[in-house]
Amino acid sequence: MTIAAGVFSLGGILLFVGLAVIVLLAQSGGGDAGALFDTYVWRVTSFTLLQASLSTILSVLFAIPVARALARQASFPGRIWLLRLMALPLGLPALVAALGLIQVWGRQGFLNTGLVALGLEEPISIYGLFGILLAHVFFNMPLAARLMLAGIERIPGEYWRTAANLGMPSAAVFRLIEWPAIRGLLPGIAGLIFMLCATSFTLVLTLGGGPAASTIEVAIYQALRFDFDPPRAIALSGLQIALTGALLLVLKFVAPPPQESETSGKATRRFDGLRGRSRLADALWLILALIFVGLPFVAIAYSGLQADLARLLRDPAFHRALATSAVIALLSAAVSVGATAVMIRAQQVALMRRHAGAAARGLAGTISASSSFILLVPPVVLGAGWFLLLRPFGDVARFAPAVVVAINALMALPFVHRVLAPAMATHAARTDRLAASLGIVGFHRLRWIDWPPLRKPLLMAFSFAMALSLGDLGAVALFGSQDMTTLPWLLYSRMGSYRTADAAGLALMLGLICLVLTVLGTAGEDGAREGRNA
């Protein structure tokens, strides 16, 4: 029964993704074969690779000194809050972050206002390549810094004591101790960031500033939503699938295996960060990171509180968008968590048998790979496939809620899997034999054995999946209409109609909801935070 449920869930996922890909491939067979070689397609592709490469380089370069400063200064007032601030961009919807960056770097932003007061006329423009790079560094530099910090903190304490006894200068400590640890992490970190930037949609749609700064996903959206050019959308979707597939292969094979060193297990204490020059350099980098990451949050809070929140809360459009977002988020989270839990349990049951056959091992391997397989087809590509598939059946908007729920559930699946898999594996190792010997199965096992210890990770995964769905704009961008408006789509519409005060208030409310859900989803466990590494 458990294996059958797992096979059903896995089959549903593969069918949903497969139908979207098949219809794109079928449509391309009857479309314009030259669309793939269109100048516009290759210009969009080259810009996608350019901005992703530059974003990755900048994020990694700035993350190294920040991570090193956090590692060397292990105890200073407010360090825990700075670490928490560095985690906040992961839970912030991209559209809310874009609005915060506009309020800091835009024409009427804090920086331009100050520079104009000094006699300079609009010295900074956030739209175009500069704005895209700025937004990607805002999201990915803290992620890279936290991953590097974790790697540095795993260095045995004996290394630091030896370096102190030898009187090694700061440059030598970095070259001989810190850099080898960071270097081993760089391929995985850089590959992850590159993939996140290459498949970026909301930030590019908001900050791109025009066709000259469009990524593949934005071009797919424009080809279907505005130009209604299926051949071009199909060609772009094929390129996107090929690009993400190549990136997943690189992520799988490029990262070296972790290198463990012998250690006595004593607490780590560093001495190289106690010198005055080191303290000053670390303080400077941490202050810059605090300003860069924290200022957009301050801008969102400040401008949001200046809006007429009472009027927005009474607005029927807000009520409809909030209700729609809440229903989609709840359903998406329930589907994602339920399907993931069932598949993980089916994988465990298949491998429990003393002589697991090839079919059982194949099922377990397919379930294990399914979470990464989802990343192969981004939301806009899935939406494009289902848009073309449903078009012959009439108004696509009729099917929009179900399609958006399914896409959001699939996009949350890798993160949910990263939270649930370790917890369920540990629980199974502790209880499976005893439950089997006592004959406890079905609902009784779920109620008395599984639910109490798994309740926390299940709720963590559920809240994190809800936050991802609430902040998503990718699927709704293709299917959204007056009959189905979510909070991100309402916010984007208000920004597009230059109702900046309303947009600021909506951004504040949406950001707070998602941040609360993210805090609940990451409290006490690193799995959800590291789910971006899946």
Side-chain angles (χ1 to χ4, degrees), residues 219-290:
I220 295 170
Y221 163 72
Q222 292 171 340
L224 287 178
R225 186 82 179 187
F226 298 115
D227 303 331
F228 198 72
D229 188 353
R232 176 169 291 176
I234 293 163
L236 289 165
S237 299
L239 280 175
Q240 183 76 318
I241 292 172
L243 178 62
T244 50
L247 287 172
L248 284 175
L249 287 176
V250 170
L251 282 175
K252 183 175 180 62
F253 294 109
V254 78
Q259 298 181 355
E260 299 294 340
S261 301
E262 294 294 332
T263 176
S264 63
K266 295 181 179 179
T268 299
R269 183 184 176 191
R270 295 189 59 167
F271 303 91
D272 55 313
L274 302 179
R275 303 184 185 98
R277 183 177 299 179
S278 298
R279 282 181 177 273
L280 182 61
D282 292 342
L284 178 61
W285 279 110
L286 294 178
I287 290 172
L288 289 175
L290 174 64

Side-chain angles (χ1 to χ4, degrees), residues 69-229:
L70 285 168
R72 293 203 299 185
Q73 307 303 325
S75 59
F76 61 86
R79 184 178 186 272
I80 183 63
W81 294 106
L82 181 58
L83 286 172
R84 289 173 179 172
L85 175 65
M86 300 284 280
L88 288 183
L90 297 181
L92 193 68
L95 192 59
V96 177
L99 186 60
L101 291 169
I102 290 172
Q103 290 165 353
V104 175
W105 299 82
R107 176 179 299 179
Q108 303 298 328
F110 298 159
L111 293 181
N112 273 340
T113 302
L115 293 174
V116 167
L118 297 175
L120 300 176
E121 187 65 28
E122 196 183 335
I124 299 174
S125 175
I126 193 174
Y127 296 102
L129 179 61
F130 173 77
I132 294 172
L133 296 179
L134 183 71
H136 284 161
V137 174
F138 169 78
F139 272 102
N140 296 309
M141 184 277 289
L143 171 65
R146 290 172 66 84
L147 293 174
M148 290 179 189
L149 175 62
I152 294 174
E153 289 179 340
R154 287 194 294 267
I155 296 174
E158 289 82 359
Y159 285 32
W160 309 121
R161 288 192 289 273
T162 301
N165 291 333
L166 295 175
M168 292 173 62
S170 177
V173 170
F174 176 74
R175 180 170 56 89
L176 298 175
I177 300 178
E178 292 176 314
W179 175 244
I182 294 174
R183 183 179 57 197
L185 298 172
L186 276 183
I189 294 174
L192 169 65
I193 293 175
F194 187 92
M195 187 168 69
L196 292 173
C197 296
T199 58
S200 178
F201 173 74
T202 304
L203 293 175
V204 180
L205 182 67
T206 308
L207 301 175
S214 291
T215 58
I216 296 175
E217 289 210 18
V218 173
I220 295 170
Y221 163 72
Q222 292 171 340
L224 287 178
R225 186 82 179 187
F226 298 115
D227 303 331
F228 198 72
D229 188 353

Side-chain angles (χ1 to χ4, degrees), residues 283-373:
L284 178 61
W285 279 110
L286 294 178
I287 290 172
L288 289 175
L290 174 64
I291 294 173
F292 178 72
V293 178
L295 205 54
F297 288 96
V298 174
I300 293 169
Y302 176 79
S303 59
L305 292 174
Q306 299 300 311
D308 190 350
L309 296 177
R311 180 180 59 80
L312 283 175
L313 290 173
R314 295 193 302 268
D315 188 353
F318 172 76
H319 296 162
R320 290 193 297 270
L322 179 60
T324 302
S325 292
V327 171
I328 290 176
L330 285 168
L331 291 176
S332 299
V335 171
S336 185
V337 172
T340 304
V342 166
M343 288 192 297
I344 293 173
R345 184 57 188 161
Q347 180 185 21
Q348 293 171 348
V349 172
L351 295 177
M352 275 173 57
R353 298 171 180 175
R354 186 180 299 273
H355 301 290
R361 292 195 301 270
L363 173 63
T366 305
I367 290 174
S368 179
S370 63
S371 61
S372 296
F373 170 74

